[in-house]
Amino acid sequence: MSSEYKDAKAKFEASVAKVLQRNKERKENFTTGGGLPLERFYGPDSLPSADYVKDVGFPGEYPFTRGVQPTMYRGRFWTMRQYAGFATAEESNERYRYLLSQGTTGLSVAFDLPTQIGYDSDDPMAQGECGKVGVAIDSLRDMEILFDQIPLNKVSTSMTINAPASVLLAMYICVGEKQGVPMDALSGTIQNDILKEYIARGTYIFPPKPSMRLITDIFGFCSENVPKWNTISISGYHIREAGSTAAQEVAFTLADGIAYVEAAKQKGLDPNVFGERLSFFFNAHNDFLEEVAKFRAARRMWARIMKERFGVTNPKAQMLRFHTQTGGSTLTAQQPENNIVRVTMQALAAVLGGTQSLHTNSMDEALALPSEKSVGIALKTQQIIAYESGVANTVDPLGGSYVIENLTEEIEKKAFEYIGQIDDMGGMLVAIEKGYVQKHIQDAAYEYQRSVESKQAIVVGVNQFQIEENRGEMNLLTVDSSVGERQIAKLRELRESRDNIAVKNSLEDIKKAAGDESENLMPHIIKAVRNYATEGEICGVLRNVFGEYTENIVL
Amino acid sequence: MDERKIRVVVAKPGLDGHDRGAKVVARALRDAGMEVIYTGLRQTPEQIVETVLQEDADAVGISILSGAHTFYFNKIIDMLKEKDASDVIVFGGGVIPDADIPGLLEAGAGAVFGPGTPTPECVEWLEKAVAEKRSKE
């Protein structure tokens, strides 16, 4: 720093000291939501790195701190992708066509819990849950209805499906076949991230080892046959919702990513190839500056991990491309309209962090599934940011900000510390088994709850600025309890009309392939799906061979 | 004054995997001096009632965010009645629309706590409810 700057700064600090004698600051210590210290003032002398090209660089270039494309949103906006699905395929199809007519540019399918855990709607375990948190899909027949009049060569579809991801991907491939769209023209994403299910989301089926095999089978199959498909969406979203800090969200997500790359390498797959199809999924919470920095840090860290740890030379396989969803757990049941403002700030942080696609939550999500009106407002929020705010017109507008570059580095440091600890334990699978990750998340969740109760953290409308309110006026979406009955009737009809011998034979094939690790399961699952074997039947066979995971309870 | 520690089962019925709330409440009840048994995920109503009886619990707290609350509250309350254990206090929380709460209370739930409820409110309510229950024993 120049001596001129040093002198000016010394003068400034002296005057601050005088101000502080008169007026104390609001708090003794300021931190981000995740507890990282925040200085009063950041200036040119607080820029963390002297080496701009190495640590920050240019958009579209390693280490991608400033974004994965050279022109970012000047080329095209992020994909506005609203997660939706409820009741039956018929009702969800109608909602998707509404969203497409309103300018949404990609679909995102929410499945109900029985579908996510591999149970048909007529399974006793599915009672009370059919169609509640997403759409009920039992067989290819439901999937055909779900995408009726939606051309699969024109939309990209993201499916939040994990343990049975192979089965739902197989169904999507078969719907494509029926529409005359070949596999290599399909584009979209399956979540397919089982590790965070054990940690934070809970829709696991099988134990870790066979689950990792299902995932790497998908990597291998798609590299050859469905090259435009994102084979996994490595998710920090749920880790954050479960209560983690921002730095933990980055650390545990990238540690999961490392575990997947290692598993695929062990299978003989080339990270320069499958690495291009790995995608990520992060949360956007309220602490604006920390969130913007978090996305930038995650991008730089993954590039370094792929290059330095795995020797990846293909830049496309070094890039962290990600979807963002605004933070469900930040929404309040009190004064729900305020949530529109929270979502706006969170969405803006995601855009300033360089997201590739975005879901904005609806204001009523702390109360129920979102209504059509509130989904509409959520989507318009993105459109206003894109078309009216101006922030999309220059690349990484906050890059170079003293505080943002500082926080980016702080998050990277903190997250690499966690990853180092996980490495020392023997990797993510061991860390999950020991409850290390779960414990850290729960401690952070409990600490946050206490800080709200002690009013160290203020949540408008919840622990301060409360008002008397009557929520009776909100129009909430309710799912008709007859969904289960309708699905059960459809299943009965299906089981009578399909070729049951073909179903039996193809399930037998899956069983054999499941027992032979050198076989790729995907072609066998596609065949069974094409014969209208149900999801529950296919997962049932795999349950028999692989066994089921039992939760390691950490409290 | 009854000096026995309050025993409470915190349960996650059905397929819902959202356990942040259940675990935060379980810890808060434990920190308030109660003995807490947390069931873990994916419990059937049969398993939950079995745990309540085996653990000789005063109360069971049900956490559901999947929209299946009416089904599970009713089922668990009915099964407790069948087992002559209708004195067990049933309460819960999660993403539960206001309009559904009267139905749950009518079925026999003692209280339903929505998102944003401070944990001390839960603790106080449960202490009072258990004291009342024990005074009738």
Side-chain angles (χ1 to χ4, degrees):
Chain A
M1 287 299 119
S2 69
S3 62
E4 200 184 348
Y5 176 83
K6 277 184 188 155
D7 293 346
K9 179 135 188 234
K11 243 167 134 187
F12 164 73
E13 275 172 353
S15 70
V16 169
K18 269 188 223 154
V19 170
L20 288 175
Q21 277 174 359
R22 283 198 307 268
N23 301 309
K24 275 205 294 192
E25 292 179 323
R26 283 184 288 112
K27 301 180 195 178
E28 244 168 65
N29 293 305
F30 287 80
T31 63
T32 64
L36 298 175
L38 271 174
E39 302 294 324
R40 175 174 306 114
F41 165 86
Y42 291 86
D45 54 338
S46 42
L47 271 182
S49 170
D51 198 338
Y52 177 84
V53 174
K54 181 171 151 274
D55 291 329
V56 183
F58 296 89
E61 289 177 22
Y62 187 87
F64 305 103
T65 313
R66 305 203 62 179
V68 292
Q69 293 124 8
T71 61
M72 286 303 289
Y73 309 132
R74 288 164 67 102
R76 123 183 137 68
F77 291 125
W78 60 94
T79 302
M80 298 176 193
R81 193 192 290 284
Q82 297 296 91
Y83 185 46
F86 59 97
T88 62
E90 285 84 355
E91 280 135 312
S92 293
N93 173 264
E94 205 176 299
R95 175 67 68 93
Y96 296 155
R97 289 196 280 129
Y98 165 79
L99 282 168
L100 289 167
S101 77
Q102 293 295 298
T104 196
T105 48
L107 295 177
S108 175
V109 183
F111 297 101
D112 72 357
L113 285 165
T115 306
Q116 293 190 50
I117 305 178
Y119 293 118
D120 287 337
S121 298
D122 57 359
D123 193 293
M125 289 298 287
Q127 271 188 77
E129 307 269 18
C130 287
K132 290 286 188 198
V133 301
V135 57
I137 299 291
D138 291 318
S139 74
L140 175 56
R141 190 151 300 166
D142 293 322
M143 203 73 159
E144 290 162 5
I145 298 166
L146 189 65
F147 291 102
D148 184 39
Q149 299 175 60
I150 299 173
L152 299 195
N153 53 348
K154 299 228 172 82
V155 293
S156 79
T157 303
S158 168
M159 294 191 276
T160 298
I161 194 76
N162 294 279
S166 331
V167 183
L168 275 298
L169 174 59
M171 287 183 188
Y172 196 81
I173 289 171
C174 291
V175 172
E177 268 173 21
K178 301 213 166 202
Q179 290 188 358
V181 180
M183 276 192 269
D184 59 10
L186 296 174
S187 73
T189 308
I190 39 176
Q191 198 162 76
N192 199 25
D193 170 14
I194 199 67
L195 293 177
K196 66 91 177 53
E197 297 294 331
Y198 302 131
I199 299 169
R201 192 167 174 276
T203 69
Y204 43 73
I205 305 177
F206 314 112
K209 210 170 154 246
S211 294
M212 293 301 271
R213 177 208 168 174
L214 282 167
I215 291 167
T216 50
D217 277 359
I218 292 173
F219 287 3
F221 180 84
C222 289
S223 286
E224 281 172 32
N225 302 290
V226 204
K228 292 201 287 181
W229 199 266
N230 295 313
T231 51
I232 193 166
S233 171
I234 306 165
S235 305
Y237 185 81
H238 318 89
I239 290 172
R240 189 69 181 280
E241 287 299 285
S244 84
T245 64
Q248 286 170 347
E249 178 190 356
V250 172
F252 299 152
T253 307
L254 299 189
D256 283 343
I258 291 169
Y260 294 124
V261 173
E262 278 169 355
K265 274 186 71 176
Q266 263 174 24
K267 269 220 151 167
L269 299 171
D270 179 0
N272 277 299
V273 179
F274 72 80
E276 281 193 24
R277 303 319 307 171
L278 303 178
S279 64
F280 289 81
F281 174 21
F282 290 110
N283 210 316
H285 271 214
N286 287 334
D287 195 299
F288 188 80
L289 301 176
E290 183 176 42
E291 292 299 294
V292 174
K294 175 189 81 181
F295 299 119
R296 302 172 84 252
R299 211 164 27 235
R300 181 158 78 200
M301 289 175 72
W302 186 246
R304 286 179 167 162
I305 288 167
M306 287 302 265
K307 186 177 176 185
E308 290 162 17
R309 184 169 181 145
F310 295 114
V312 166
T313 51
N314 173 4
K316 280 194 172 157
Q318 297 168 339
M319 282 178 197
L320 179 144
R321 295 170 300 119
F322 68 101
H323 173 70
T324 306
Q325 180 169 339
T326 57
S329 63
T330 68
L331 302 185
T332 64
Q334 296 75 13
Q335 306 173 32
E337 288 87 352
N338 294 349
N339 292 327
I340 298 174
V341 183
R342 294 191 177 98
V343 168
T344 306
M345 287 193 305
Q346 295 165 2
L348 188 59
V351 168
L352 292 171
T355 196
Q356 275 56 64
S357 62
L358 179 59
H359 167 106
T360 31
N361 285 342
S362 300
M363 62 168 161
D364 47 3
E365 285 184 34
L367 302 166
L369 280 180
S371 66
E372 193 160 287
K373 182 177 177 202
S374 64
V375 169
I377 295 172
L379 176 60
K380 301 292 158 197
T381 304
Q382 294 199 40
Q383 292 166 347
I384 291 168
I385 294 173
Y387 292 95
E388 299 183 20
S389 77
V391 298
N393 297 336
T394 181
V395 177
D396 187 27
L398 297 190
S401 146
Y402 306 127
V403 60
I404 290 289
E405 294 299 351
N406 227 286
L407 283 177
T408 303
E409 177 137 316
E410 287 304 314
I411 288 177
E412 176 172 5
K413 253 195 242 159
K414 188 90 197 146
F416 268 131
E417 265 173 43
Y418 283 116
I419 292 175
Q421 285 173 22
I422 291 166
D423 284 340
D424 290 345
M425 295 175 81
M428 201 51 167
L429 286 168
V430 182
I432 294 169
E433 203 183 304
K434 288 193 172 157
Y436 164 91
V437 186
Q438 298 92 313
K439 181 91 177 88
H440 275 279
I441 296 170
Q442 283 162 32
D443 286 348
Y446 196 51
E447 201 174 303
Y448 175 73
Q449 177 68 26
R450 297 183 62 130
S451 73
V452 171
E453 285 169 6
S454 67
K455 295 199 179 189
Q456 272 174 300
I458 297 298
V459 184
V460 173
V462 174
N463 64 358
Q464 216 170 82
F465 314 115
Q466 298 98 318
I467 49 170
E468 282 294 315
E469 53 186 330
N470 175 13
R471 292 205 296 259
E473 291 156 23
M474 296 275 297
N475 257 325
L476 298 178
L477 179 93
T478 51
V479 175
D480 178 352
S481 59
S482 72
V483 170
E485 289 151 38
R486 279 186 279 157
Q487 280 302 110
I488 291 170
K490 274 202 266 178
L491 269 171
R492 194 177 306 129
E493 196 274 324
L494 174 86
R495 290 196 172 110
E496 279 165 14
S497 62
R498 68 186 181 179
D499 179 349
N500 278 306
I501 293 172
V503 170
K504 192 165 166 267
N505 289 339
S506 49
L507 289 175
E508 198 54 43
D509 281 351
I510 291 178
K511 190 178 161 193
K512 259 187 240 151
D516 175 2
E517 282 215 30
S518 65
E519 266 301 297
N520 191 314
L521 273 160
M522 269 311 287
H524 302 283
I525 292 173
I526 292 172
K527 206 174 111 200
V529 161
R530 204 183 278 131
N531 288 331
Y532 293 94
T534 65
E535 195 218 7
E537 288 163 348
I538 295 170
C539 292
V541 168
L542 295 175
R543 275 187 165 95
N544 283 334
V545 180
F546 293 153
E548 288 190 64
Y549 177 75
T550 45
E551 181 189 3
N552 168 20
I553 296 175
V554 182
L555 196 68
Chain B
M1 177 77 194
D2 196 333
E3 290 303 324
R4 276 175 299 160
K5 274 194 170 182
I6 295 173
R7 289 175 70 77
V8 51
V9 171
V10 174
K12 283 293 303 177
L15 305 179
D16 179 27
H18 295 91
D19 57 6
R20 174 176 179 171
K23 286 176 165 176
V24 165
V25 169
R27 268 170 94 155
L29 298 176
R30 196 173 65 189
D31 286 358
M34 302 184 196
E35 282 175 13
V36 179
I37 302 101
Y38 172 59
T39 62
L41 299 179
R42 287 204 207 161
Q43 300 289 303
T44 62
E46 288 80 2
Q47 288 170 316
I48 292 168
V49 169
E50 189 58 38
T51 307
V52 169
L53 298 176
Q54 267 183 10
E55 297 286 348
D56 194 20
D58 299 292
V60 55
I62 303 169
S63 160
I64 311 180
L65 292 83
S66 72
H69 41 271
T70 303
F71 175 81
Y72 281 110
F73 268 88
N74 288 341
K75 192 111 196 216
I76 290 166
I77 291 167
D78 285 348
M79 289 182 69
L80 285 169
K81 275 188 200 143
E82 275 168 34
K83 303 265 180 188
D84 281 329
S86 54
D87 62 326
V88 173
I89 297 157
V90 178
F91 67 104
V95 175
I96 298 175
D98 287 354
D100 293 353
I101 294 175
L104 301 179
L105 298 178
E106 206 171 301
V112 176
F113 299 102
T117 307
T119 54
E121 197 177 309
C122 245
V123 170
E124 273 165 42
W125 178 85
L126 190 55
E127 281 170 347
K128 218 180 266 175
V130 172
E132 201 174 306
K133 170 185 171 249
R134 287 181 177 175
S135 71
K136 291 180 197 152
E137 278 171 5

